[in-house]
Amino acid sequence: MRLGIDFGTTRTVVAAVQDGRHPLAVFDDDGEFRDHVPGIAAWQDGALRVGWAAERALADGSAEHAIRSIKRAIGALAPDAPVPGLPGVTALGLATAFFVELRAALHARCTLDLDPDAPLEVMAAVPANAPSRQRWLTLEALRRAGFAPLGLLNEPTAGALDFAHRHLELGRKSPKKYVVVYDLGGGTFDTSAVSLQGRHFELIASAGLARLGGDDFDQLLLDAAGVEATAATLERARLAKESLTPTSRKLLLDLGDREPIALDVAALYARAQPLIDATLAQVDGLFASLRDRGIDPDDPRELGGIYLVGGGAAFPAVARALRARFARKLQLAPQPFAATAIGLALAADPDAHVLIREAVTRHFGVWREADAGDDKVFDPLLGKDTAGPIVVERRYRPAHPVGHLRFLECGALDAAGQPVQDLVPCEDIYFPYDPALADRDELATVPNPRRTELMANEIVETYTYGRDGAISVRIENRSRGYGRTYQLA
Ligand SMILES: Nc1ncnc2c1ncn2[C@@H]1O[C@H](COP(=O)(O)OP(=O)(O)OP(=O)(O)O)[C@@H](O)[C@H]1O
Ligand SMILES: [Mg+2]
Protein backbone atom coordinates (compact mmCIF):
# COMPACT_ATOMS: atom_id res chain seq x y z
CA MET A 1 0.00 0.00 0.00
CA ARG A 2 1.24 3.44 -0.88
CA LEU A 3 0.50 6.49 1.25
CA GLY A 4 1.14 10.20 1.33
CA ILE A 5 1.82 11.36 4.89
CA ASP A 6 1.71 15.08 5.65
CA PHE A 7 3.44 15.31 9.02
CA GLY A 8 2.02 18.66 10.13
CA THR A 9 2.66 20.85 13.14
CA THR A 10 -1.00 20.82 14.19
CA ARG A 11 -2.43 18.01 12.08
CA THR A 12 -0.93 14.98 10.44
CA VAL A 13 -3.04 13.88 7.49
CA VAL A 14 -2.72 10.66 5.48
CA ALA A 15 -3.96 10.02 1.94
CA ALA A 16 -3.77 6.62 0.25
CA VAL A 17 -3.29 5.44 -3.31
CA GLN A 18 -6.29 3.23 -4.06
CA ASP A 19 -7.48 2.28 -7.55
CA GLY A 20 -6.71 5.64 -9.10
CA ARG A 21 -8.22 7.55 -6.19
CA HIS A 22 -6.55 9.24 -3.23
CA PRO A 23 -8.86 8.91 -0.23
CA LEU A 24 -8.01 10.35 3.18
CA ALA A 25 -7.48 8.07 6.16
CA VAL A 26 -10.24 8.57 8.73
CA PHE A 27 -9.45 7.28 12.23
CA ASP A 28 -11.91 5.93 14.75
CA ASP A 29 -10.87 7.53 18.02
CA ASP A 30 -13.03 6.06 20.78
CA GLY A 31 -16.12 6.25 18.59
CA GLU A 32 -15.34 9.68 17.10
CA PHE A 33 -14.18 9.95 13.52
CA ARG A 34 -11.07 12.05 12.92
CA ASP A 35 -9.39 12.95 9.65
CA HIS A 36 -6.07 13.75 11.29
CA VAL A 37 -3.77 13.02 14.22
CA PRO A 38 -2.84 16.01 16.39
CA GLY A 39 0.84 16.84 16.91
CA ILE A 40 0.66 16.67 20.70
CA ALA A 41 2.83 14.65 23.10
CA ALA A 42 2.37 14.11 26.83
CA TRP A 43 3.76 12.16 29.75
CA GLN A 44 0.90 10.51 31.61
CA ASP A 45 1.20 7.75 34.25
CA GLY A 46 4.86 7.25 33.39
CA ALA A 47 4.21 6.66 29.67
CA LEU A 48 4.75 8.85 26.62
CA ARG A 49 1.50 9.41 24.75
CA VAL A 50 1.14 11.08 21.37
CA GLY A 51 -1.78 12.13 19.17
CA TRP A 52 -5.35 11.92 20.43
CA ALA A 53 -4.42 10.23 23.73
CA ALA A 54 -2.02 13.10 24.44
CA GLU A 55 -4.65 15.68 23.55
CA ARG A 56 -7.06 14.10 26.03
CA ALA A 57 -4.38 14.04 28.73
CA LEU A 58 -3.71 17.71 28.08
CA ALA A 59 -7.38 18.67 28.13
CA ASP A 60 -8.29 16.82 31.35
CA GLY A 61 -5.19 17.97 33.20
CA SER A 62 -3.79 14.46 33.74
CA ALA A 63 -0.58 15.09 31.79
CA GLU A 64 2.56 15.54 33.90
CA HIS A 65 4.32 17.18 30.97
CA ALA A 66 2.93 18.05 27.57
CA ILE A 67 3.96 19.83 24.41
CA ARG A 68 1.94 20.76 21.38
CA SER A 69 3.32 21.17 17.84
CA ILE A 70 5.74 18.23 17.92
CA LYS A 71 7.09 19.09 14.49
CA ARG A 72 7.89 22.66 15.47
CA ALA A 73 9.48 21.54 18.75
CA ILE A 74 11.91 19.15 17.05
CA GLY A 75 12.38 21.02 13.75
CA ALA A 76 15.80 22.54 14.42
CA LEU A 77 17.06 19.94 16.92
CA ALA A 78 19.82 17.38 16.44
CA PRO A 79 18.40 13.82 16.46
CA ASP A 80 19.64 12.99 19.96
CA ALA A 81 18.94 16.42 21.49
CA PRO A 82 16.42 16.44 24.36
CA VAL A 83 13.01 17.94 23.54
CA PRO A 84 12.34 21.00 25.72
CA GLY A 85 9.34 20.36 27.95
CA LEU A 86 9.45 16.56 27.68
CA PRO A 87 12.08 15.17 30.07
CA GLY A 88 13.96 12.12 28.82
CA VAL A 89 12.70 12.29 25.23
CA THR A 90 14.98 12.99 22.26
CA ALA A 91 13.93 14.64 19.00
CA LEU A 92 14.32 11.43 16.99
CA GLY A 93 12.68 9.40 19.78
CA LEU A 94 9.63 11.66 19.77
CA ALA A 95 9.22 11.69 15.99
CA THR A 96 9.58 7.90 15.95
CA ALA A 97 7.00 7.48 18.75
CA PHE A 98 4.60 9.68 16.79
CA PHE A 99 4.96 7.61 13.60
CA VAL A 100 4.70 4.32 15.56
CA GLU A 101 1.34 5.53 16.89
CA LEU A 102 0.29 6.64 13.40
CA ARG A 103 1.16 3.25 11.92
CA ALA A 104 -0.71 1.43 14.69
CA ALA A 105 -3.77 3.66 14.10
CA LEU A 106 -3.60 3.06 10.33
CA HIS A 107 -3.67 -0.69 10.89
CA ALA A 108 -6.08 -0.92 13.81
CA ARG A 109 -8.65 1.87 13.56
CA CYS A 110 -8.78 3.45 10.17
CA THR A 111 -11.18 3.42 7.24
CA LEU A 112 -8.47 2.41 4.76
CA ASP A 113 -8.47 -1.31 4.28
CA LEU A 114 -4.80 -2.11 4.86
CA ASP A 115 -3.20 -5.51 4.43
CA PRO A 116 -1.38 -6.04 7.76
CA ASP A 117 1.45 -7.92 6.03
CA ALA A 118 2.10 -5.55 3.13
CA PRO A 119 4.70 -2.81 3.61
CA LEU A 120 3.46 0.78 3.91
CA GLU A 121 5.36 2.75 1.28
CA VAL A 122 5.29 6.42 2.10
CA MET A 123 5.85 9.71 0.35
CA ALA A 124 6.48 12.39 2.97
CA ALA A 125 7.28 16.10 2.97
CA VAL A 126 8.95 18.87 4.93
CA PRO A 127 8.58 22.65 4.63
CA ALA A 128 10.55 23.98 1.65
CA ASN A 129 12.82 25.92 3.98
CA ALA A 130 13.43 22.98 6.34
CA PRO A 131 17.05 22.46 7.36
CA SER A 132 18.47 19.20 6.08
CA ARG A 133 18.68 17.73 9.57
CA GLN A 134 14.88 17.97 9.71
CA ARG A 135 14.73 16.13 6.39
CA TRP A 136 17.00 13.41 7.69
CA LEU A 137 15.12 13.13 10.98
CA THR A 138 11.73 12.83 9.27
CA LEU A 139 12.91 10.02 7.00
CA GLU A 140 14.77 8.21 9.78
CA ALA A 141 11.80 8.37 12.17
CA LEU A 142 9.47 6.97 9.47
CA ARG A 143 11.91 4.14 8.83
CA ARG A 144 12.29 3.31 12.52
CA ALA A 145 8.52 3.30 12.92
CA GLY A 146 8.26 0.57 10.28
CA PHE A 147 7.24 2.59 7.23
CA ALA A 148 9.10 2.25 3.94
CA PRO A 149 9.81 5.83 2.78
CA LEU A 150 9.70 6.30 -1.00
CA GLY A 151 10.85 9.88 -0.90
CA LEU A 152 10.67 13.27 0.69
CA LEU A 153 9.24 16.26 -1.14
CA ASN A 154 8.93 19.90 -0.25
CA GLU A 155 5.41 20.59 1.04
CA PRO A 156 4.58 23.24 -1.61
CA THR A 157 5.48 20.82 -4.40
CA ALA A 158 2.86 18.45 -2.99
CA GLY A 159 0.40 21.36 -2.81
CA ALA A 160 1.10 22.14 -6.47
CA LEU A 161 0.43 18.50 -7.40
CA ASP A 162 -2.98 18.72 -5.74
CA PHE A 163 -3.65 21.92 -7.69
CA ALA A 164 -2.55 20.39 -10.97
CA HIS A 165 -4.65 17.29 -10.38
CA ARG A 166 -7.77 19.34 -9.81
CA HIS A 167 -7.28 22.03 -12.43
CA LEU A 168 -5.25 20.42 -15.16
CA GLU A 169 -5.21 16.96 -16.50
CA LEU A 170 -2.05 15.39 -15.13
CA GLY A 171 0.12 14.22 -17.95
CA ARG A 172 -1.25 16.74 -20.41
CA LYS A 173 0.75 19.76 -21.37
CA SER A 174 -0.21 22.57 -19.05
CA PRO A 175 -1.31 25.89 -20.58
CA LYS A 176 -0.03 27.66 -17.48
CA LYS A 177 3.63 27.68 -16.63
CA TYR A 178 3.54 27.59 -12.85
CA VAL A 179 1.47 27.93 -9.69
CA VAL A 180 2.27 29.84 -6.52
CA VAL A 181 1.40 27.94 -3.34
CA TYR A 182 0.63 29.94 -0.20
CA ASP A 183 0.70 27.57 2.78
CA LEU A 184 0.12 28.99 6.23
CA GLY A 185 0.16 25.98 8.55
CA GLY A 186 0.30 25.58 12.29
CA GLY A 187 4.02 26.16 12.61
CA THR A 188 5.47 27.36 9.32
CA PHE A 189 4.71 29.67 6.48
CA ASP A 190 5.87 28.62 3.04
CA THR A 191 5.27 30.25 -0.31
CA SER A 192 6.70 28.71 -3.43
CA ALA A 193 6.43 28.84 -7.18
CA VAL A 194 6.21 25.37 -8.70
CA SER A 195 6.58 24.74 -12.41
CA LEU A 196 3.73 22.89 -14.12
CA GLN A 197 5.48 22.46 -17.45
CA GLY A 198 5.11 19.02 -18.95
CA ARG A 199 4.88 16.48 -16.18
CA HIS A 200 7.88 17.92 -14.39
CA PHE A 201 6.91 19.48 -11.13
CA GLU A 202 9.82 21.59 -10.17
CA LEU A 203 10.28 24.02 -7.34
CA ILE A 204 11.25 27.23 -9.14
CA ALA A 205 11.73 29.43 -6.10
CA SER A 206 10.67 29.46 -2.51
CA ALA A 207 10.37 31.88 0.37
CA GLY A 208 8.85 31.65 3.80
CA LEU A 209 9.32 31.90 7.51
CA ALA A 210 10.36 28.78 9.38
CA ARG A 211 8.67 29.89 12.57
CA LEU A 212 5.45 31.63 11.64
CA GLY A 213 2.13 29.85 11.72
CA GLY A 214 -1.25 29.40 13.38
CA ASP A 215 0.55 28.73 16.70
CA ASP A 216 1.57 32.39 16.75
CA PHE A 217 -2.04 33.46 16.33
CA ASP A 218 -2.92 31.28 19.36
CA GLN A 219 -0.22 33.06 21.33
CA LEU A 220 -1.59 36.41 20.19
CA LEU A 221 -5.03 35.51 21.44
CA LEU A 222 -3.66 34.70 24.90
CA ASP A 223 -1.67 37.96 24.89
CA ALA A 224 -4.86 39.87 24.10
CA ALA A 225 -6.63 38.09 26.96
CA GLY A 226 -3.69 38.59 29.35
CA VAL A 227 -3.45 34.84 29.96
CA GLU A 228 -0.20 32.97 30.47
CA ALA A 229 0.73 30.61 27.63
CA THR A 230 0.98 26.92 28.50
CA ALA A 231 0.38 23.92 26.27
CA ALA A 232 -3.13 23.64 27.72
CA THR A 233 -4.12 27.33 27.40
CA LEU A 234 -2.68 27.48 23.88
CA GLU A 235 -4.88 24.53 22.88
CA ARG A 236 -7.90 26.37 24.31
CA ALA A 237 -6.88 29.47 22.34
CA ARG A 238 -6.61 27.39 19.16
CA LEU A 239 -10.14 26.02 19.60
CA ALA A 240 -11.49 29.54 20.18
CA LYS A 241 -9.63 30.83 17.10
CA GLU A 242 -11.03 28.04 14.93
CA SER A 243 -14.57 29.06 15.86
CA LEU A 244 -14.08 32.47 14.18
CA THR A 245 -16.20 33.20 11.12
CA PRO A 246 -15.92 36.19 8.75
CA THR A 247 -18.79 37.89 10.60
CA SER A 248 -17.57 37.29 14.20
CA ARG A 249 -17.32 40.43 16.32
CA LYS A 250 -16.66 38.91 19.74
CA LEU A 251 -14.66 35.81 20.52
CA LEU A 252 -15.12 33.77 23.69
CA LEU A 253 -11.97 32.25 25.13
CA ASP A 254 -13.05 29.39 27.39
CA LEU A 255 -10.24 28.29 29.68
CA GLY A 256 -12.38 25.75 31.52
CA ASP A 257 -11.55 26.81 35.06
CA ARG A 258 -13.02 30.33 35.03
CA GLU A 259 -15.55 32.54 33.28
CA PRO A 260 -14.92 32.68 29.52
CA ILE A 261 -13.05 35.82 28.43
CA ALA A 262 -14.69 37.93 25.71
CA LEU A 263 -12.26 39.35 23.15
CA ASP A 264 -12.87 42.04 20.57
CA VAL A 265 -12.28 40.47 17.15
CA ALA A 266 -11.30 43.70 15.36
CA ALA A 267 -8.60 44.35 17.97
CA LEU A 268 -7.41 40.77 17.57
CA TYR A 269 -7.12 41.16 13.81
CA ALA A 270 -5.16 44.38 14.33
CA ARG A 271 -2.69 42.43 16.48
CA ALA A 272 -2.49 39.72 13.82
CA GLN A 273 -1.91 42.16 10.95
CA PRO A 274 1.91 42.38 11.33
CA LEU A 275 2.13 38.59 11.03
CA ILE A 276 -0.08 38.60 7.94
CA ASP A 277 1.98 41.46 6.46
CA ALA A 278 5.12 39.40 7.09
CA THR A 279 3.67 36.58 4.93
CA LEU A 280 2.75 39.03 2.16
CA ALA A 281 6.28 40.46 2.24
CA GLN A 282 7.57 36.93 1.63
CA VAL A 283 5.24 36.62 -1.39
CA ASP A 284 6.63 39.94 -2.69
CA GLY A 285 10.14 38.54 -2.23
CA LEU A 286 9.14 35.42 -4.12
CA PHE A 287 7.71 37.51 -6.98
CA ALA A 288 10.94 39.54 -7.09
CA SER A 289 13.00 36.37 -7.41
CA LEU A 290 10.67 35.18 -10.21
CA ARG A 291 11.29 38.46 -12.06
CA ASP A 292 15.03 37.92 -11.61
CA ARG A 293 14.53 34.66 -13.51
CA GLY A 294 12.67 36.33 -16.35
CA ILE A 295 9.20 35.22 -15.17
CA ASP A 296 6.55 37.93 -14.90
CA PRO A 297 4.21 37.13 -11.99
CA ASP A 298 1.70 39.67 -13.32
CA ASP A 299 1.26 37.76 -16.57
CA PRO A 300 -1.99 35.76 -16.10
CA ARG A 301 -1.14 33.54 -19.09
CA GLU A 302 1.78 32.09 -17.15
CA LEU A 303 0.54 32.06 -13.57
CA GLY A 304 -1.96 29.26 -12.87
CA GLY A 305 -3.08 30.95 -9.66
CA ILE A 306 -2.17 31.59 -6.05
CA TYR A 307 -3.20 28.31 -4.43
CA LEU A 308 -4.22 28.71 -0.82
CA VAL A 309 -3.58 25.62 1.30
CA GLY A 310 -3.19 24.98 5.02
CA GLY A 311 -5.42 25.77 7.97
CA GLY A 312 -4.21 29.35 8.36
CA ALA A 313 -6.30 30.22 5.31
CA ALA A 314 -9.37 29.67 7.49
CA PHE A 315 -8.39 32.58 9.74
CA PRO A 316 -10.76 35.28 8.40
CA ALA A 317 -8.20 38.12 8.56
CA VAL A 318 -5.77 36.08 6.46
CA ALA A 319 -8.34 35.21 3.81
CA ARG A 320 -9.44 38.84 3.64
CA ALA A 321 -5.90 40.20 3.25
CA LEU A 322 -5.16 37.69 0.50
CA ARG A 323 -8.34 38.47 -1.41
CA ALA A 324 -7.53 42.18 -1.22
CA ARG A 325 -4.03 41.56 -2.51
CA PHE A 326 -4.55 38.88 -5.18
CA ALA A 327 -8.23 39.18 -6.16
CA ARG A 328 -9.18 36.67 -8.84
CA LYS A 329 -5.77 35.06 -8.95
CA LEU A 330 -6.52 33.52 -5.55
CA GLN A 331 -7.75 29.92 -5.52
CA LEU A 332 -8.74 28.24 -2.27
CA ALA A 333 -7.94 24.54 -2.14
CA PRO A 334 -11.20 22.54 -1.78
CA GLN A 335 -9.66 20.68 1.17
CA PRO A 336 -7.04 23.11 2.50
CA PHE A 337 -5.97 20.76 5.32
CA ALA A 338 -5.59 17.77 3.05
CA ALA A 339 -4.02 19.35 -0.05
CA THR A 340 -0.45 18.42 0.93
CA ALA A 341 -1.34 14.82 1.83
CA ILE A 342 -3.29 14.32 -1.41
CA GLY A 343 -0.40 15.79 -3.41
CA LEU A 344 1.93 13.33 -1.69
CA ALA A 345 -0.36 10.41 -2.53
CA LEU A 346 -0.30 11.59 -6.17
CA ALA A 347 3.49 11.65 -6.05
CA ALA A 348 3.44 8.10 -4.65
CA ASP A 349 1.00 6.89 -7.31
CA PRO A 350 2.82 5.30 -10.26
CA ASP A 351 -0.31 5.73 -12.42
CA ALA A 352 -0.32 9.50 -11.92
CA HIS A 353 2.93 9.67 -13.93
CA VAL A 354 4.32 12.71 -12.22
CA LEU A 355 7.99 13.55 -12.38
CA ILE A 356 9.43 15.72 -9.72
CA ARG A 357 12.59 17.71 -9.58
CA GLU A 358 13.33 19.16 -6.19
CA ALA A 359 15.67 21.94 -5.21
CA VAL A 360 17.59 23.02 -2.15
CA THR A 361 15.85 26.02 -0.71
CA ARG A 362 18.40 26.97 1.86
CA HIS A 363 22.04 27.91 1.74
CA PHE A 364 24.30 25.33 3.26
CA GLY A 365 27.92 26.01 4.06
CA VAL A 366 30.75 25.85 6.51
CA TRP A 367 32.62 28.39 8.63
CA ARG A 368 36.31 28.38 7.76
CA GLU A 369 39.27 30.07 9.44
CA ALA A 370 40.14 33.32 7.71
CA ASP A 371 43.75 33.73 6.61
CA ALA A 372 44.37 36.50 9.13
CA GLY A 373 43.51 36.53 12.83
CA ASP A 374 40.88 34.18 14.25
CA ASP A 375 38.12 35.50 12.01
CA LYS A 376 35.64 33.07 10.49
CA VAL A 377 34.47 33.23 6.90
CA PHE A 378 31.37 31.47 5.61
CA ASP A 379 31.95 29.21 2.60
CA PRO A 380 28.56 28.61 0.92
CA LEU A 381 28.76 25.06 -0.41
CA LEU A 382 25.24 24.60 -1.76
CA GLY A 383 23.16 27.55 -2.90
CA LYS A 384 19.48 28.23 -2.41
CA ASP A 385 17.32 26.75 -5.17
CA THR A 386 20.00 24.47 -6.63
CA ALA A 387 18.55 21.14 -7.75
CA GLY A 388 19.87 17.83 -6.44
CA PRO A 389 21.60 15.47 -6.86
CA ILE A 390 24.78 17.53 -6.71
CA VAL A 391 28.43 16.98 -5.82
CA VAL A 392 30.65 19.82 -4.60
CA GLU A 393 34.38 19.58 -3.97
CA ARG A 394 36.87 21.66 -1.97
CA ARG A 395 40.69 21.12 -1.96
CA TYR A 396 43.18 22.75 0.37
CA ARG A 397 46.39 22.28 2.41
CA PRO A 398 45.86 22.46 6.17
CA ALA A 399 47.99 24.27 8.73
CA HIS A 400 46.55 22.62 11.87
CA PRO A 401 46.49 18.99 13.10
CA VAL A 402 42.68 18.87 13.42
CA GLY A 403 40.04 20.33 11.15
CA HIS A 404 37.01 21.62 13.06
CA LEU A 405 34.15 22.19 10.60
CA ARG A 406 31.14 24.13 11.78
CA PHE A 407 28.26 23.70 9.36
CA LEU A 408 25.41 26.11 9.04
CA GLU A 409 22.22 26.53 7.08
CA CYS A 410 20.47 29.82 6.47
CA GLY A 411 17.67 31.33 4.46
CA ALA A 412 19.68 34.05 2.68
CA LEU A 413 23.14 35.50 2.15
CA ASP A 414 24.00 39.19 2.36
CA ALA A 415 25.90 41.13 -0.32
CA ALA A 416 29.23 39.94 1.11
CA GLY A 417 28.09 36.30 0.93
CA GLN A 418 27.71 35.97 4.69
CA PRO A 419 24.68 34.22 6.21
CA VAL A 420 21.57 36.09 7.35
CA GLN A 421 17.95 35.10 8.15
CA ASP A 422 16.93 31.85 9.91
CA LEU A 423 20.41 30.57 10.78
CA VAL A 424 20.47 26.93 11.86
CA PRO A 425 23.78 25.50 13.05
CA CYS A 426 24.32 21.89 12.04
CA GLU A 427 26.59 19.35 13.70
CA ASP A 428 30.26 20.21 14.14
CA ILE A 429 32.65 17.64 12.78
CA TYR A 430 36.34 17.01 13.41
CA PHE A 431 38.77 15.54 10.91
CA PRO A 432 42.40 14.52 11.53
CA TYR A 433 44.50 16.47 9.02
CA ASP A 434 47.60 15.15 10.84
CA PRO A 435 48.18 11.52 9.71
CA ALA A 436 49.43 10.72 13.24
CA LEU A 437 45.82 11.20 14.42
CA ALA A 438 44.22 9.21 11.56
CA ASP A 439 42.84 6.47 13.86
CA ARG A 440 41.85 8.68 16.75
CA ASP A 441 38.13 9.07 17.55
CA GLU A 442 37.99 11.91 20.07
CA LEU A 443 39.48 14.93 18.33
CA ALA A 444 37.60 17.84 19.94
CA THR A 445 40.04 18.06 22.87
CA VAL A 446 43.31 17.55 20.96
CA PRO A 447 45.60 20.64 21.17
CA ASN A 448 45.48 22.35 17.81
CA PRO A 449 48.43 24.74 17.34
CA ARG A 450 49.42 26.00 13.89
CA ARG A 451 51.96 23.61 12.27
CA THR A 452 52.93 24.69 8.77
CA GLU A 453 54.67 21.38 7.92
CA LEU A 454 51.16 19.83 7.76
CA MET A 455 50.65 21.78 4.52
CA ALA A 456 52.45 18.89 2.82
CA ASN A 457 49.05 17.10 3.01
CA GLU A 458 46.36 17.67 0.41
CA ILE A 459 42.81 17.50 1.82
CA VAL A 460 39.74 16.96 -0.37
CA GLU A 461 36.18 17.48 0.87
CA THR A 462 33.44 15.98 -1.32
CA TYR A 463 29.88 17.02 -0.49
CA THR A 464 26.99 15.00 -1.87
CA TYR A 465 23.51 16.46 -1.89
CA GLY A 466 20.91 13.78 -2.52
CA ARG A 467 17.49 14.08 -4.09
CA ASP A 468 15.92 13.66 -0.64
CA GLY A 469 17.74 16.75 0.65
CA ALA A 470 20.23 14.78 2.74
CA ILE A 471 23.82 16.04 2.66
CA SER A 472 26.93 13.98 3.35
CA VAL A 473 30.62 14.76 3.13
CA ARG A 474 33.64 12.55 2.53
CA ILE A 475 36.88 14.13 3.76
CA GLU A 476 40.15 12.60 2.61
CA ASN A 477 43.80 13.16 3.16
CA ARG A 478 44.77 12.44 -0.46
CA SER A 479 48.50 12.57 0.28
CA ARG A 480 48.30 9.81 2.87
CA GLY A 481 45.26 7.88 1.65
CA TYR A 482 42.77 7.89 4.53
CA GLY A 483 39.38 9.47 4.94
CA ARG A 484 36.08 9.60 6.80
CA THR A 485 32.45 10.02 5.73
CA TYR A 486 29.98 12.09 7.73
CA GLN A 487 26.22 12.37 7.43
CA LEU A 488 25.33 16.04 7.84
CA ALA A 489 21.79 15.66 9.09
N1 LIG B 1 -11.30 27.84 11.20
C1 LIG B 1 -10.06 28.22 11.49
N2 LIG B 1 -9.75 29.51 11.75
C2 LIG B 1 -8.51 29.88 12.02
N3 LIG B 1 -7.46 29.06 12.04
C3 LIG B 1 -7.69 27.77 11.79
C4 LIG B 1 -8.99 27.28 11.49
N4 LIG B 1 -8.89 25.96 11.29
C5 LIG B 1 -7.60 25.64 11.46
N5 LIG B 1 -6.87 26.71 11.75
C6 LIG B 1 -5.44 26.77 12.08
O1 LIG B 1 -4.64 26.23 11.03
C7 LIG B 1 -3.44 25.72 11.60
C8 LIG B 1 -3.24 24.31 11.13
O2 LIG B 1 -3.12 24.29 9.75
P1 LIG B 1 -2.53 23.02 8.98
O3 LIG B 1 -3.28 21.81 9.37
O4 LIG B 1 -2.44 23.39 7.57
O5 LIG B 1 -1.09 23.00 9.65
P2 LIG B 1 -0.03 21.84 9.70
O6 LIG B 1 0.07 21.20 8.37
O7 LIG B 1 -0.33 20.97 10.86
O8 LIG B 1 1.27 22.69 10.05
P3 LIG B 1 2.62 22.93 9.20
O9 LIG B 1 2.27 22.81 7.76
O10 LIG B 1 3.04 24.31 9.62
O11 LIG B 1 3.54 21.90 9.69
C9 LIG B 1 -3.63 25.70 13.11
O12 LIG B 1 -2.94 26.79 13.69
C10 LIG B 1 -5.12 25.85 13.22
O13 LIG B 1 -5.51 26.41 14.46
MG1 LIG C 1 1.07 21.70 6.61
Side-chain angles (χ1 to χ4, degrees), residues 8-11 71 185-188 214 238 241-242 310-312 314-315 337:
T9 307
T10 312
R11 307 161 156 249
K71 176 175 157 187
T188 15
R238 181 176 65 80
K241 176 191 70 179
E242 292 178 7
F315 191 63
F337 295 106

Side-chain angles (χ1 to χ4, degrees), residues 6 8 71 155 183 185 340:
D6 174 20
K71 176 175 157 187
E155 288 170 10
D183 181 358
T340 306

